[in-house]
Amino acid sequence: MGKITDFFKAVLGICETQELRPDMWRLEGNSARIQIEQAPELAAADGAIYLKGKGLKYPVLVVHTKDNGYLAFTNRCTHMGHRKLDPVAGEAILRCCSVNHSTYDLQGKRLSGPAKGDLEIYDVEVINDEVVVKL
Ligand code: FES
């Protein structure tokens, strides 16, 4: 049953990572600011959320890394389906949620699959309990 469900999720491009509600983050100039306490999905290593809307050209995936840092990427596979991505727990990779499952490392570099290029990666800082993504 699980494998069938996983297959249909992949066909539909459904990821595990959820969008952070728009009222839980804000855009200030060229920075997206997330109050860490408003995003419990980011609390643990391998946790992730994505941002969309508010004039962002593409959704932005924000990942809490094992070494207690944060990384941000364009949440858009470079393969033609342009599906979103999930972090893979314990493996320090991102995986496309399509059937083809292209993978990328945490520097955004394409590792496998039909994706054509690397992901755009954004600088991230933690300032006063906020994750600040420089877009
Ligand atoms: S959209 Fe096809 S591998 Fe990502």
Side-chain angles (χ1 to χ4, degrees), residues 6-132:
D6 289 348
F7 174 75
F8 283 108
K9 284 171 80 174
V11 167
L12 297 171
I14 297 171
C15 286
E16 298 298 323
T17 303
Q18 298 294 306
E19 178 187 356
L20 184 64
R21 279 182 21 206
D23 58 325
M24 298 298 174
W25 65 280
R26 66 190 192 283
L27 199 59
E28 278 186 14
N30 288 332
S31 296
R33 303 179 81 99
I34 305 161
Q35 285 201 326
I36 296 171
E37 68 182 23
Q38 301 285 351
E41 300 86 350
L42 278 178
D46 293 324
I49 52 92
Y50 72 89
L51 311 174
K52 75 171 194 181
K54 302 189 183 183
L56 296 179
K57 184 173 181 186
Y58 299 119
V60 174
L61 177 68
V62 183
V63 176
H64 185 166
T65 63
K66 263 194 179 358
D67 58 358
N68 210 27
Y70 296 90
L71 296 170
F73 309 85
T74 300
N75 195 7
R76 187 175 192 262
C77 180
T78 60
H79 185 221
M80 63 183 179
H82 301 304
R83 299 292 194 178
K84 292 184 177 67
L85 307 154
D86 275 333
V88 178
E91 294 191 35
I93 63 171
L94 305 175
R95 189 174 75 159
C96 174
C97 300
S98 74
V99 173
N100 289 308
H101 291 316
S102 289
T103 60
Y104 304 84
D105 68 17
L106 295 184
Q107 285 73 49
K109 185 173 169 19
R110 189 194 77 85
L111 297 174
S112 68
K116 300 293 182 230
D118 300 337
L119 301 173
E120 188 170 356
I121 188 165
Y122 304 101
D123 289 335
V124 181
E125 281 185 85
V126 176
I127 303 172
N128 298 330
D129 297 329
E130 287 188 326
V131 176
V132 179

